[in-house]
Amino acid sequence: DPHLYKKDMNNSGLRRNDIMKLYLVRHGETLWNREHILQGQLDSPLTQKGIGGAEKIREALSGIEFTKVYTSHQIRSMVTADIILEGRKDISYTVEPYIAEMSYGHWQGKTMEEICESPESEAQYMNYFRHPEKFVPVEGGERFEDVIKRAELFIDRLRKEHESDDVILAVSHGVFIKALFVMIRKLNISEFWEKPFITNCSISIFDIKDDSIEILSEVETSHLGEHQVTTAETDYIKKKE
């Protein structure tokens, strides 16, 4: 729905009322997304579908004037932000490490099959998806609680550093975005993977109030058309079953 991104906006794209709005998007599809390699805080290039999806976000959000744009320090997020902001001469992005992807330590850069070569590693990988409350990261990796804490810190920063009517864009990653939803809904870690899946180039919209957050749109993908991605990140688990 092309009108989805213009709700509560006047002709200049500025808010009519005094509630901060956050547009949170996941980066475009990457080569490792497509090849089912765990990226974490490593990077791989955007695919043509990922580039096209970012261009579709740019079109969908073209009528909105953002007062601030954040991206993680990861290349796939920054490249996606560059595409979205193309043609906007009055704004650039700020790198915000809080909204980076979950770190997986030495699992990063490996396929699911490579991660699951040892019984111990396979057990933790299965926990990651099926029993996240039992997941214990490898050295250098993060717990789900760590990512949820980063989501809290990011929202705290927005409330402290922005005006109540600011309109903010943030380009982030699947697990971070999921962690924000878990935080808002006060879910248990065991409920972390409840649907929907955070697809590439999806847009979620929030009202950030002083004492609460309202979810206006969750993982919207209607703008993507042929650039829609269905990344089967749980293929290995499906095969195990």
Side-chain angles (χ1 to χ4, degrees):
D1 181 357
H3 301 293
L4 172 69
Y5 312 113
K6 296 180 175 60
K7 286 191 290 189
D8 298 328
M9 299 286 164
N10 61 24
N11 291 335
S12 66
L14 298 176
R15 293 301 310 274
R16 288 190 185 128
N17 50 30
D18 291 332
I19 301 175
M20 188 189 312
K21 181 165 281 190
L22 171 64
Y23 290 75
L24 184 59
V25 309
R26 186 184 176 196
H27 63 82
E29 183 197 52
T30 67
L31 184 63
W32 283 6
N33 286 151
R34 195 171 65 196
E35 295 180 350
H36 299 162
I37 296 173
L38 193 62
Q39 283 182 124
Q41 295 193 5
L42 298 182
D43 267 304
S44 66
L46 264 59
T47 62
Q48 284 304 118
K49 182 170 276 191
I51 293 169
E55 291 170 344
K56 289 294 187 181
I57 296 175
R58 184 178 67 216
E59 294 172 12
L61 302 183
S62 62
I64 297 171
E65 292 183 16
F66 294 106
T67 48
K68 188 79 172 184
V69 179
Y70 292 100
T71 171
S72 79
H73 63 284
Q74 297 173 251
I75 294 171
R76 60 188 182 273
S77 180
M78 292 189 284
V79 170
T80 301
D82 280 332
I83 295 170
I84 295 171
L85 296 179
E86 189 176 322
R88 295 180 186 243
K89 298 177 181 178
D90 57 340
I91 193 165
S92 60
Y93 59 73
T94 297
V95 172
E96 174 51 84
Y98 284 152
I99 66 174
E101 183 55 292
M102 188 173 187
S103 173
Y104 302 104
H106 64 70
W107 280 7
Q108 297 177 154
K110 295 182 178 181
T111 64
M112 290 176 249
E113 288 78 8
E114 289 170 337
I115 291 169
C116 294
E117 283 178 350
S118 74
E120 297 80 9
S121 188
E122 180 174 5
Q124 281 306 326
Y125 186 78
M126 299 296 277
N127 280 342
Y128 174 79
F129 280 110
R130 297 172 68 176
H131 303 288
E133 75 281 3
K134 298 179 182 178
F135 174 68
V136 179
V138 297
E139 185 177 352
E142 290 183 293
R143 304 171 303 153
F144 287 102
E145 292 88 345
D146 297 326
V147 187
I148 293 169
K149 181 61 178 177
R150 290 201 273 109
E152 293 172 354
L153 291 169
F154 178 59
I155 295 299
D156 286 346
R157 176 178 180 178
L158 296 185
R159 285 176 169 148
K160 289 175 183 176
E161 298 186 9
H162 289 277
E163 300 298 325
S164 60
D165 59 351
D166 277 359
V167 182
I168 297 160
L169 171 66
V171 183
S172 185
H173 304 263
V175 178
F176 176 86
I177 297 171
K178 197 69 175 171
L180 183 63
F181 279 111
V182 169
M183 182 201 83
I184 294 169
R185 292 187 166 126
K186 297 181 172 60
L187 299 179
N188 296 318
I189 300 297
S190 60
E191 302 170 289
F192 195 92
W193 293 119
E194 286 192 357
K195 291 182 178 180
F197 179 75
I198 311 297
T199 52
N200 292 105
C201 289
S202 59
I203 303 174
S204 300
I205 309 173
F206 310 85
D207 271 350
I208 310 295
K209 305 174 185 178
D210 288 341
D211 56 359
S212 65
I213 302 173
E214 181 181 354
I215 300 168
L216 302 182
S217 176
E218 184 171 4
V219 197
E220 178 62 44
T221 58
S222 62
H223 55 285
L224 291 177
E226 72 274 19
H227 299 285
Q228 174 78 46
V229 174
T230 54
T231 307
E233 296 193 9
T234 56
D235 272 1
Y236 185 75
I237 288 175
K238 292 175 182 174
K239 281 188 277 186
K240 295 294 290 184
E241 293 173 345

